[in-house]
Amino acid sequence: MEPRIEVSPVDRIDGYLAIEDHGLIGDGAASALVGRDGTIDWMCVPRLDSDPLFCSLLDHSRGGAFRLRPRGLRAAGHTYVPETGVLVTEMHGPEGIVRVTDAMTLRAGADLREEIDPSRRELLRIAEVVSGTVHLEVEVEPRGGGTARRSGSAFCLAAPRHPHLDFDLVSDARLDGPRTTLSLGAGDRVAFSLRWGGGSPRRSLTTSDERLSHTVDAWRRWTARLSYDGPQADLVTRSAVVLKMLDYMPNGAIVAAPTSSLPEQIGGERNWDYRYAWVRDAAFTVYALSRIGCHYEGHGFVAWILDVIEEAAPHVLYTLDGAPSPPERHDEELEGYRGSSPVRWGNAAGHQTQHDAYGEILDCAYQWAHAGGEINPELWNELAALADAAALKWGEPDHGIWEVRTSGRPFTYSAAMCHVAVDRAARMVEMQGHPGDADRWRKTAKEIQEAILEQAWDEEKQSLVEHLGPGGIDASLLALPLRRVLDARHPRMVATARSIASRLDAGGGLLYRYDPAESPDGLHGHEGAFLLCSFWLADNLVHQGRVEEASDLFDSLCARTNPLGLLSEEVDPSSGAFLGNFPQAFSHVGLISTGVNLGRATR
């Protein structure tokens, strides 16, 4: 039975669709955003962190796009094929209705748990006229333009910004070129295939319907293995699929988001490139997925990051091949989403000092060992050295979880994650018999915990604060019970959660990360409410035994997903509009983890 799709008028502001008007498709190597108007306005190939082939999301006139829409588009809506990463968009024109099914296709029989590339390196778009007559506008325009040469029934496209990739545009309809209008009637069905880098052969033995079916089957085999018994099950499944699409399947690296430079404030400068593997974000992702039965993804990332740190000192974030992030640069050619400049490629945070990385890596290693993974002597020596470094540096200034662009400060969250580092090192000594002074690490963990409770406590604010010493209110401290640094029921942690909920309140259950006026971050302007922090607050309420309040907050956050079940990094509290990179791993991690906590608390 065909899915029922709610449609509404399609509006653009300043030439741009709303961020929430997009859906994500991916194949474990590359990704794309599909707008509700049938436009693919963001697509990075051959990897999630490659230069985008299409990026009209960041410049509607010069960014390039793959458009497939009825002339005179009036209204549209979209949905996912259930339990998959396949997207269906329904568009209403003046004379008829067309549905476009979009997928980045997967190999027949692909097992998405395997650490191999399941991709066919193909974007497949199938348009079917549901009723009436549709004049379907087709336009394929890479960023920077390009040339098209007919070769039999296909067009060979050359994109100057991707000189090492060959692109083929293939269709079972006769195309005049990369810009064509097709007149179609009810029941007509046309497939378009864009292939790159030696992907699916032009004259494949499989049909487009077969390749689509293989893709649907591969996703459903993967989602069938999910194990979840809690509220909002459909959204938890969708969140898992999103995180899987952010998993670079050839090696297990996980990106924070598939996009760059979507603004945290429209017109502002808080625009960042998130298409890299943050140790912190990936560690949260691994933990969330493992709680719903996705252990292979956790093992894949842990094996990847442990291989990476064997080669060099740990960094905050990495490219997908394990290299340090490229230098941050501004792209002067692109105006930015709705004029929000600069557009950034690369991320300077990769070269900051962030002490929480010690705890993230040690916690990943601990999860790996606890699940039966092998920590060989050479790797253990590296992990022990990281624990010793955390024991020395926990009180020193760094740039913190929020990666401020001011001088470093002794952030409480960073000290807490150094506690995690030495605690997990001690546990691995006791669990697996590795050589090391577990008693010394335990003593250091206790020392850090006491310092947090004393030095970070502000009696006037009745809260722990962002620094070991005077500072502002910081929502990251809600994560301390989740990382087993403090008990959520400790009086000072209860007071901190209450203070954060009050002082960083953005309305409607939303929270700001911090107040830039009280906690300078070196940037101009402000930002939206940070969704993960609200999920963290719900987790604290669960652990405090306030389950009904937590459930109400969780439901209100789930209601903020777009019609596809996706979440951005931030939300504009005044309008509910999405802000920041999209979809954001952190937000979907929060949805999964809070759902699991509520499920356990209510069973």
Side-chain angles (χ1 to χ4, degrees):
M1 186 174 67
E2 291 289 339
R4 185 173 182 272
I5 300 176
E6 297 288 341
V7 302
S8 60
V10 178
D11 298 315
R12 284 182 172 261
I13 303 175
D14 305 322
Y16 295 87
L17 284 177
I19 294 171
E20 56 266 31
D21 275 347
H22 292 85
L24 178 71
I25 58 174
D27 60 9
S31 69
L33 292 185
V34 185
R36 194 161 55 89
D37 64 352
T39 299
I40 293 183
D41 53 14
W42 178 265
M43 181 165 139
C44 293
V45 293
R47 299 194 328 190
L48 288 151
D49 61 353
S50 298
D51 286 342
L53 180 68
F54 307 126
C55 62
S56 58
L57 188 66
L58 300 180
D59 194 309
H60 69 91
S61 62
R62 292 175 291 183
F66 188 162
R67 299 178 179 90
L68 201 61
R69 63 192 177 197
R71 181 187 297 161
L73 174 65
R74 293 179 172 177
H78 48 194
T79 189
Y80 280 108
V81 175
E83 291 88 45
T84 79
V86 176
L87 185 66
V88 180
T89 304
E90 181 172 298
M91 292 173 280
H92 292 210
E95 302 173 59
I97 299 172
V98 63
R99 283 191 171 184
V100 175
T101 300
D102 283 302
M104 284 185 159
T105 56
L106 304 172
R107 292 180 294 101
D111 185 344
L112 301 188
R113 298 177 302 171
E114 296 179 345
E115 291 172 32
I116 58 175
D117 184 356
S119 168
R120 298 178 65 98
R121 295 183 291 283
E122 176 191 39
L123 168 66
L124 179 62
R125 314 196 73 185
I126 300 176
E128 182 173 10
V129 178
V130 177
S131 64
T133 299
V134 169
H135 301 288
L136 190 70
E137 297 177 338
V138 183
E139 182 179 353
V140 182
E141 182 184 8
R143 180 190 175 185
T147 59
R149 174 178 56 84
R150 184 180 290 278
S151 176
S153 61
F155 283 92
C156 300
L157 306 180
R161 302 184 70 90
H162 292 76
H164 305 299
L165 282 182
D166 297 322
F167 295 94
D168 287 331
L169 177 63
V170 183
S171 176
D172 49 16
R174 178 71 179 180
L175 304 180
D176 296 331
R179 295 189 180 190
T180 301
T181 299
L182 301 174
S183 295
L184 305 173
D188 286 346
R189 184 180 176 90
V190 181
F192 305 86
S193 174
L194 182 64
R195 302 163 183 175
W196 58 89
S200 298
R202 187 182 305 166
R203 295 178 178 85
S204 175
L205 294 177
T206 58
T207 66
S208 57
D209 285 342
E210 287 172 331
R211 297 197 299 279
L212 179 63
S213 178
H214 295 157
T215 303
V216 168
D217 289 346
W219 278 113
R220 286 181 168 166
R221 282 193 298 272
W222 185 80
T223 54
R225 297 186 177 99
L226 299 180
S227 175
Y228 176 74
D229 182 14
Q232 303 282 359
D234 287 346
L235 287 179
V236 168
T237 297
R238 178 53 49 200
S239 292
V241 171
V242 168
L243 295 180
K244 187 61 179 173
M245 285 194 277
L246 303 183
D247 174 13
Y248 184 60
M249 296 185 209
N251 62 17
I254 300 171
V255 301
T259 55
S260 176
S261 300
L262 290 178
E264 297 171 4
Q265 175 190 10
I266 300 300
E269 67 170 342
R270 297 169 182 263
N271 319 316
W272 315 110
D273 190 350
Y274 278 5
R275 300 168 306 137
Y276 302 106
W278 266 258
V279 178
R280 173 194 313 120
D281 298 49
F284 275 105
T285 300
V286 163
Y287 183 56
L289 287 174
S290 68
R291 299 180 79 188
I292 55 174
C294 300
H295 302 294
Y296 287 91
E297 288 70 23
H299 294 169
F301 173 75
V302 172
W304 178 78
I305 191 61
L306 296 183
D307 282 345
V308 168
I309 67 169
E310 277 190 309
E311 302 297 325
H315 292 269
V316 174
L317 61 104
Y318 296 89
T319 64
L320 296 180
D321 54 11
S325 64
E328 185 173 295
R329 63 181 178 86
H330 294 182
D331 192 328
E332 305 297 340
E333 295 180 6
L334 301 177
E335 71 169 10
Y337 178 81
R338 293 182 57 190
S340 305
S341 64
V343 169
R344 289 182 168 95
W345 308 120
N347 200 304
H351 305 283
Q352 287 185 345
T353 300
Q354 295 181 25
H355 297 325
D356 68 305
Y358 298 121
E360 305 295 0
I361 293 171
L362 265 296
D363 198 32
C364 281
Y366 172 73
Q367 291 183 49
W368 169 260
H370 192 264
E374 180 184 0
I375 304 292
N376 63 44
E378 293 78 13
L379 177 57
W380 171 250
N381 288 338
E382 180 69 25
L383 294 172
L386 294 178
D388 286 338
L392 291 173
K393 296 178 180 293
W394 63 267
E396 296 181 6
D398 74 341
H399 293 90
I401 181 176
W402 306 134
E403 301 175 344
V404 298
R405 300 209 169 189
T406 59
S407 57
R409 309 195 285 275
F411 283 100
T412 305
Y413 180 86
S414 299
M417 291 308 298
C418 288
H419 171 284
V420 171
V422 293
D423 173 80
R424 303 308 190 261
R427 290 174 185 267
M428 282 191 281
V429 168
E430 296 162 355
M431 181 174 67
Q432 292 197 326
H434 294 295
D437 193 341
D439 290 339
R440 175 172 59 85
W441 284 326
R442 291 281 191 199
K443 182 178 179 182
T444 301
K446 183 68 173 176
E447 180 184 354
I448 297 172
Q449 185 185 66
E450 291 173 351
I452 290 171
L453 288 170
E454 298 301 323
Q455 297 176 35
W457 177 255
D458 186 307
E459 187 65 27
E460 182 178 346
K461 292 185 171 84
Q462 282 293 293
S463 179
L464 297 170
V465 292
E466 61 185 336
H467 305 144
L468 298 177
I473 303 297
D474 182 355
S476 71
L477 302 185
L478 293 170
L480 268 57
L482 315 182
R483 309 312 291 269
R484 295 189 290 184
V485 177
L486 296 177
D487 192 300
R489 293 164 295 183
H490 190 287
R492 292 198 166 178
M493 194 62 236
V494 172
T496 297
R498 183 167 55 246
S499 179
I500 290 170
S502 172
R503 293 171 180 260
L504 296 180
D505 178 31
L510 298 174
L511 295 175
Y512 296 108
R513 292 187 287 181
Y514 52 88
D515 179 358
E518 185 180 42
S519 307
D521 56 15
L523 298 163
H524 297 293
H526 58 85
E527 63 178 21
F530 201 84
L531 285 166
L532 177 62
C533 297
S534 293
F535 286 113
W536 282 345
L537 177 60
D539 292 334
N540 275 260
L541 294 174
V542 172
H543 294 315
Q544 291 173 20
R546 298 160 63 184
V547 177
E548 186 174 347
E549 293 173 69
S551 181
D552 289 344
L553 176 55
F554 179 66
D555 287 342
S556 76
L557 295 171
C558 289
R560 293 186 179 276
T561 62
N562 75 356
L564 296 173
L566 307 185
L567 288 169
S568 59
E569 178 184 26
E570 299 183 1
V571 166
D572 182 337
S574 64
S575 66
F578 284 4
L579 294 170
N581 284 307
F582 168 84
Q584 179 79 8
F586 258 169
S587 300
H588 288 281
V589 162
L591 194 153
I592 291 172
S593 294
T594 303
V596 170
N597 289 334
L598 280 168
R600 291 179 175 178
T602 56
R603 278 199 292 275

